[in-house]
Amino acid sequence: MTDALTTVEPPAAATPRGGGGGTLRYVLSKVGAALISLGLIVVLGFVLFRVLLPGDPVRTLTRGAPVTPEGAAALEREYGFDLPLWGQFTRYLGNLAHGDLDRSLVFKVPVAQKIGERLGPTLLLVGVGTLIAVVLGLWLGTRTAWRRGSRFDRTATGIALALWSAPTFWLGLVLLTATGGLFPSGGITYPDTPPDFLSQALDTAHHMVLPTITLVAVVYAQYQLVMRSSLVEEMHAEHLLTARAKGLRDDEVRRRHAVPNALLPTVTLVFLHLGLVVSGAITVETVFSWPGLGLLTFEALRFPDYPLLQGTFLVLAAAVVVMNLVADLLLRVLDPRVRAS
Amino acid sequence: MTLLQLRDLHVRYPGEHAVAGVDLALAAGETLGLAGESGCGKSTLAMSVLRLLPPTAEVDGEILFDGEDVSTMSWGRLRAVRWAGASVVFQGAMHALNPVHRIGEQIAEPIRVHSPKTPPARVRERVAELLAQVELPADRAGAYPHQLSGGQKQRVMIAMALACDPKLVIADEPTTALDVVVQAQVLDVLTRLVTDHGIGLLLISHDLAVLGATCGRLAVMRRGRVVEEGPAHRVITAPTHPYTRTLAAAFPTIGDPASRYNPATAGEPPVAGTEAVGEELLTIRDLRVTFGATAAVAGVDLSVRAGEIVALVGQSGSGKTTLARTVLGLRKPDSGQVLFDGKPVPTSTKGLKAHRKQVQLVLQDPTSALNPRHTVHEAVAEGLRIHGVRGDEADLVRAALTDAELRPAEKYLGSLPHELSGGQRQRVVIAGALALSLRLLVADEPVASLDASVRGEVLALLLRLRARLGLATLVITHDLGLAWNIADRVAVMHRGVIVEHGPVEDVLLRPHHDYTRSLLAAVPRPDAGRTAEPRADQGV
């Protein structure tokens, strides 16, 4: 009977796809969406800092020193502030197309150059901090989920919640006070450190300890809690019963079937969050005078240095968009279900 | 010799005595069917054999597998027995397979666990062999579960269960979510393989017909106890326990005049007859609905008159659900017409709202159709509020509940869905539809997720609603017995077209189209046991 009827069974719900066409379309649509976001950020950058923000650029330039009306007019011409708003916008777009982010009013150097100088320390701090936070958060999340309700779970989850809700600057100041001069309170190196690589690296590491701890403390909790809830949910999955029935040990069930599946949403979150961590570094960098993009933004705000603010805004916002894109593309590589849809 | 022996088995959960003293025995190579409704303890019993119950379960009594007591086995010994000694085909293969592992990998896993020294090339060979046994091409090993159909997934589960040559296979509702034809294929593969390899089979199902067609011996479970046990043929044709009789009567034999317009019910008998049929209410002309390149509905003509019950039968993927959605105005036709009361189904938001006051949908699973946090009153009143129906809300809700035979209505008003039985939930859904000025009910598998004993109650309700209110019903189902129970006319749908159409007696008793014949052939016949000779009662 089976033979007579095999033709009747409907074809598979979805034949294996995910080859050429589907993938390309998916990537293009995600990249397209990211480009649109970037375009909106460029416009928003102009509107925020040239149209909405109060203040007089000439005053910033001259740092409040008296200036003749002719002098002020000359300065305005030099920076293009005398143009009508539309003219300023097209000039801004034109410059941007050449990678020119204008000149800083305060530092008197191109904004792009200034950002370039400060990008390294931020990447170092955020990179190391995120790496530690991810490892710590996922490990704690896995353990607390597997032993949920235990004292370990209650303690670790409680600590995570407390640190997550603590204000960053407060945490930084507490750490500074509590360690009592054991670690440098600011900067990236001492000026008298020998210029060879090893000494510089050790000194930087020494300076990094407190900012990194602060950043990790603020960030890891979210990874831990998401990993925990994702794994707790996964532990109810019926296919784990299949795995146990197959004769797998409990730790094999966890390692092969529960944790990898629970990691999928968490990995996406890590990348979604990475862009935000860069912006979150502003507070940490300010507290510890870490010479990165965050501190630069803070300095630019004080004057206010519009072109510089605009530049850091563009870079930080673009980081969020790019990381979202990476998260979308990565999930597709990792999760076959997303690949098919 | 006895492969599996249960002696005075008790399983208790906090506040529940799930299995209350069961004695059962299964000989090597024998097939034993375990029947019962949801909550009777049959799945708990099955899971206790491999100690797969949650830690809250308390097990008493003896479970001897191959002469060894499972409950005193060391963890190491137990893991060795799991899958290599006894394996499981779980219900709902959708969830029983890991969604992010390739199926070849999942079939190979128990082989690697139980014979870790098998060379990788041999494992691959074995996986291909197993896939061939369940009639799947070897290249499906690279597929992920979501790329397979329901029947294919269940075949994968069977291949997986056979991977380590077990002595016993426990199959827990292996075909419940599948339609008749696929169900027949899967049962066929399963029984052929256990017979060929001399494997003992413990098959669990709520469907006596499935068990009767597959097993040599049958045990019927109710409230944690076995109420009747014996050779399958005897239990089905001459049941001694009243409960077995109820179960056996729930699924009608097509062609049996006693069950025509008369679904098995313990309550008031339904009112039969087609005399109430009136004007043509729903007219579908040359309807086409396409998804991209595929035509889900490829030129359908169908009509439903007032007071008429029409069954639209076909397998999953035949386009019947798409057709229903079009009738409700949830999809626009690509060409052709859907006329309700002589006028095309509106497309404007306002027009659709008025349309849906008269045409309502009842879905397969009342549990997911109801908001778990809304009381019965809220659930029924929601439609009234959306449509701004005038009148006293409390009165209207009470009237609708009474119409849906939830009596006295006051008793149910404050209940939450989880406090009701499956049949009562489905009545709440129907009451929600009745509260509006309902003229056509579109019911998509209205009893597929319900227990056998309430199935008849809900079907009888549909018959009485037709007699009392002149309600027209379009029932979408893969269950031919349902059509025999309540429908006036039946339309058989296959690949987007209606291949046969006419009064129920003509189509089901004298089918003309090959597809209708194959559907009818796939309906399990409980009195035609597949395992040839009825065995003598073993043990107990």
Side-chain angles (χ1 to χ4, degrees):
Chain A
M1 185 176 82
T2 311
D3 290 336
L5 288 175
T6 12
T7 49
V8 179
E9 182 170 3
T15 40
R17 265 181 290 179
T23 306
L24 190 66
R25 203 162 45 235
Y26 179 85
V27 171
L28 285 181
S29 78
K30 291 296 172 191
V31 169
L35 287 177
I36 292 172
S37 302
L38 284 177
L40 289 174
I41 285 167
V42 166
V43 175
L44 192 65
F46 180 82
V47 174
L48 266 180
F49 299 106
R50 295 286 174 93
V51 183
L52 295 178
L53 210 71
D56 179 0
V58 176
R59 279 238 338 254
T60 309
L61 269 172
T62 55
R63 310 203 173 179
V67 62
T68 59
E70 293 77 36
L75 278 172
E76 285 198 339
R77 234 187 340 275
E78 188 189 338
Y79 283 89
F81 291 130
D82 58 334
L83 295 171
L85 218 48
W86 180 252
Q88 289 190 36
F89 184 60
T90 48
R91 180 173 174 270
Y92 158 78
L93 284 186
N95 285 346
L96 204 59
H98 297 101
D100 181 357
L101 294 172
D102 240 330
R103 287 169 70 84
S104 159
L105 301 182
V106 177
F107 296 99
K108 306 276 172 22
V109 292
V111 166
Q113 183 196 329
K114 199 72 199 161
I115 288 179
E117 282 169 20
R118 298 295 190 89
L119 196 60
T122 292
L123 287 182
L124 183 67
L125 178 63
V126 169
V128 172
T130 302
L131 198 67
I132 297 176
V134 166
V135 172
L136 185 71
L138 296 190
W139 179 73
L140 283 172
T142 308
R143 270 186 67 115
T144 50
W146 206 255
R147 299 167 53 188
R148 66 186 185 287
S150 67
R151 203 164 70 198
F152 177 78
D153 176 25
R154 289 199 305 274
T155 317
T157 306
I159 293 176
L161 277 173
L163 287 176
W164 194 11
S165 15
T168 313
F169 70 92
W170 176 83
L171 203 64
L173 292 176
V174 166
L175 271 177
L176 262 179
T177 324
T179 51
L182 203 58
F183 298 101
S185 64
I188 187 163
T189 46
Y190 290 120
D192 53 352
T193 309
D196 63 293
F197 178 76
L198 187 67
S199 315
Q200 287 284 331
L202 282 176
D203 192 27
T204 307
H206 192 209
H207 277 80
M208 259 180 80
V209 171
L210 287 186
T212 310
I213 291 179
T214 313
L215 194 64
V216 168
V218 177
V219 173
Y220 91 96
Q222 191 172 5
Y223 301 150
Q224 175 186 330
L225 297 176
V226 169
M227 183 63 194
R228 182 181 180 279
S229 64
S230 168
L231 186 54
V232 163
E233 195 177 310
E234 194 59 44
M235 275 159 60
H236 291 295
E238 288 171 32
H239 65 82
L240 295 190
L241 186 63
T242 312
R244 282 172 60 216
K246 281 177 178 176
L248 266 66
R249 286 195 313 271
D250 269 3
D251 63 303
E252 288 172 325
V253 173
R254 170 171 33 169
R255 210 177 55 238
R256 291 191 201 168
H257 291 280
V259 173
N261 295 23
L263 265 177
L264 293 174
T266 318
V267 166
T268 322
L269 178 101
V270 167
F271 275 87
L272 281 177
H273 201 212
L274 208 55
L276 295 172
V277 176
V278 175
S279 336
I282 292 179
T283 327
V284 177
E285 290 186 2
T286 310
V287 171
F288 293 98
S289 319
W290 184 262
L293 279 184
L295 188 63
L296 187 64
T297 310
F298 180 70
E299 289 164 354
L301 259 175
R302 278 172 37 205
F303 291 106
D305 186 340
Y306 300 114
L308 191 53
L309 274 177
Q310 211 167 37
T312 53
F313 168 80
L314 287 179
V315 171
L316 294 180
V320 174
V321 172
V322 170
M323 285 306 154
N324 277 344
L325 180 63
V326 172
D328 278 340
L329 298 182
L330 196 68
L331 187 65
R332 187 176 165 92
V333 174
L334 294 178
D335 194 332
R337 288 165 296 184
V338 179
R339 219 149 48 218
S341 63
Chain B
M1 75 163 274
T2 313
L3 180 62
L4 178 69
Q5 175 104 47
L6 307 179
R7 285 204 193 106
D8 194 29
L9 181 70
H10 290 262
V11 183
R12 291 180 185 86
Y13 296 112
E16 193 194 345
H17 200 163
V19 177
V22 165
D23 296 274
L24 269 184
L26 178 72
E30 194 194 8
T31 51
L32 171 65
L34 190 58
E37 300 191 349
S38 51
C40 75
K42 56 190 196 302
S43 291
T44 299
L45 185 141
M47 293 304 112
S48 69
V49 173
L50 287 176
R51 266 165 65 187
L52 288 169
L53 295 171
T56 51
E58 212 182 292
V59 183
D60 274 321
E62 258 186 336
I63 305 168
L64 298 178
F65 177 74
D66 222 3
E68 231 180 315
D69 193 340
V70 174
S71 46
T72 58
M73 275 180 194
S74 69
W75 280 107
R77 176 71 195 133
L78 180 66
R79 279 200 304 273
V81 168
R82 283 180 179 175
W83 223 260
S87 59
V88 190
V89 177
F90 288 97
Q91 61 177 319
M94 181 70 225
H95 304 291
L97 294 169
N98 188 328
V100 299
H101 288 195
R102 295 176 193 277
I103 58 150
E105 198 43 49
Q106 301 192 52
I107 296 174
E109 189 172 34
I111 305 175
R112 294 212 192 93
V113 168
H114 292 282
S115 345
K117 296 207 181 82
T118 321
R122 175 67 199 125
V123 175
R124 272 197 301 281
E125 230 175 85
R126 177 79 180 128
V127 169
E129 243 171 69
L130 288 161
L131 285 173
Q133 281 181 359
V134 296
E135 292 156 18
L136 285 177
D139 64 3
R140 294 314 263 161
Y144 289 98
H146 67 264
Q147 295 170 328
L148 304 178
S149 69
Q152 289 173 329
K153 275 190 281 253
Q154 209 48 272
R155 284 161 193 260
V156 169
M157 280 302 293
I158 294 172
M160 201 154 89
L162 299 177
C164 300
D165 295 315
K167 291 180 182 167
L168 172 68
V169 170
I170 300 169
D172 187 0
E173 301 272 11
T175 58
T176 301
L178 307 176
D179 64 46
V180 262
V181 174
V182 181
Q183 163 171 292
Q185 293 168 355
V186 170
L187 285 177
D188 218 51
V189 168
L190 181 64
T191 43
R192 181 170 52 73
L193 289 175
V194 294
T195 317
D196 289 357
H197 295 78
I199 299 171
L201 175 68
L202 177 60
L203 182 62
I204 298 168
S205 176
H206 67 285
D207 188 342
L208 266 189
V210 163
L211 295 175
T214 317
C215 298
R217 219 151 47 83
L218 259 185
V220 180
M221 252 185 112
R222 186 190 196 195
R223 294 189 191 144
R225 287 172 215 279
V226 172
V227 295
E228 183 161 2
E229 195 198 341
H233 186 74
R234 206 272 298 145
V235 171
I236 285 172
T237 52
T240 54
H241 195 279
Y243 180 68
T244 316
R245 262 177 249 145
T246 317
L247 279 188
F251 293 94
T253 309
I254 292 165
D256 174 10
S259 54
R260 185 77 180 117
Y261 290 123
N262 188 18
T265 158
E268 54 184 296
V271 192
T274 48
E275 68 276 3
V277 171
E279 296 285 294
E280 197 161 287
L281 192 59
L282 176 74
T283 314
I284 298 172
R285 280 196 206 125
D286 194 29
L287 178 70
R288 277 164 215 278
V289 184
T290 54
F291 295 99
T294 46
V297 179
V300 163
D301 293 276
L302 186 70
S303 68
V304 181
R305 287 178 290 165
E308 189 180 31
I309 299 181
V310 176
L312 183 62
V313 299
Q315 288 177 257
S316 23
S318 62
K320 55 193 199 311
T321 298
T322 308
L323 182 68
R325 293 176 65 85
T326 316
V327 169
L328 286 155
L330 294 168
R331 266 204 79 85
K332 277 186 206 155
D334 289 300
S335 72
Q337 273 186 312
V338 181
L339 303 174
F340 182 75
D341 216 4
K343 291 184 284 291
V345 169
T347 48
S348 67
T349 316
K350 203 170 154 224
L352 273 176
K353 199 170 151 184
H355 179 62
R356 288 183 190 139
K357 220 165 141 180
Q358 304 179 55
V359 183
Q360 282 275 313
L361 178 68
V362 171
L363 289 167
Q364 171 173 358
D365 182 6
T367 314
S368 46
L370 292 170
N371 184 329
R373 291 176 196 282
H374 281 188
T375 62
V376 168
H377 177 94
E378 292 279 319
V380 177
E382 188 170 34
L384 294 171
R385 291 178 197 158
I386 289 171
H387 291 283
V389 177
R390 281 166 213 276
D392 182 57
E393 186 181 285
D395 282 346
L396 290 170
V397 170
R398 264 198 297 276
L401 288 174
T402 311
D403 273 341
E405 296 171 8
L406 286 165
R407 299 187 188 117
E410 286 73 19
K411 190 178 143 200
Y412 298 98
L413 286 174
S415 306
L416 289 169
H418 70 89
E419 297 163 345
L420 303 175
S421 71
Q424 287 169 337
R425 277 180 222 148
Q426 194 63 294
R427 283 160 196 266
V428 173
V429 175
I430 294 173
L434 292 174
L436 306 171
S437 29
L438 183 67
R439 295 171 72 195
L440 172 68
L441 190 66
V442 179
D444 194 352
E445 300 284 7
V447 292
S449 72
L450 303 181
D451 270 329
S453 59
V454 287
R455 167 197 147 93
E457 311 284 326
V458 173
L459 293 182
L461 171 65
L462 293 179
L463 278 176
R464 283 193 292 268
L465 286 176
R466 173 261 281 281
R468 214 168 55 232
L469 309 173
L471 187 65
T473 308
L474 177 64
V475 193
I476 293 157
T477 184
H478 66 258
D479 177 355
L480 296 170
L482 185 157
W484 179 257
N485 268 157
I486 66 167
D488 304 316
R489 281 189 299 129
V490 61
V492 181
M493 195 161 179
H494 181 44
R495 294 190 179 154
V497 293
I498 288 182
V499 295
E500 191 160 1
H501 180 192
V504 167
E505 282 87 351
D506 290 354
V507 174
L508 296 189
L509 300 184
R510 292 173 291 278
H512 289 293
H513 196 276
D514 282 347
Y515 180 70
T516 316
R517 286 198 199 105
S518 67
L519 273 184
L520 280 161
V523 176
R525 247 174 296 277
D527 44 351
R530 286 173 198 217
T531 355
E533 79 289 16
R535 288 158 198 270
D537 259 11
Q538 312 266 351
V540 199

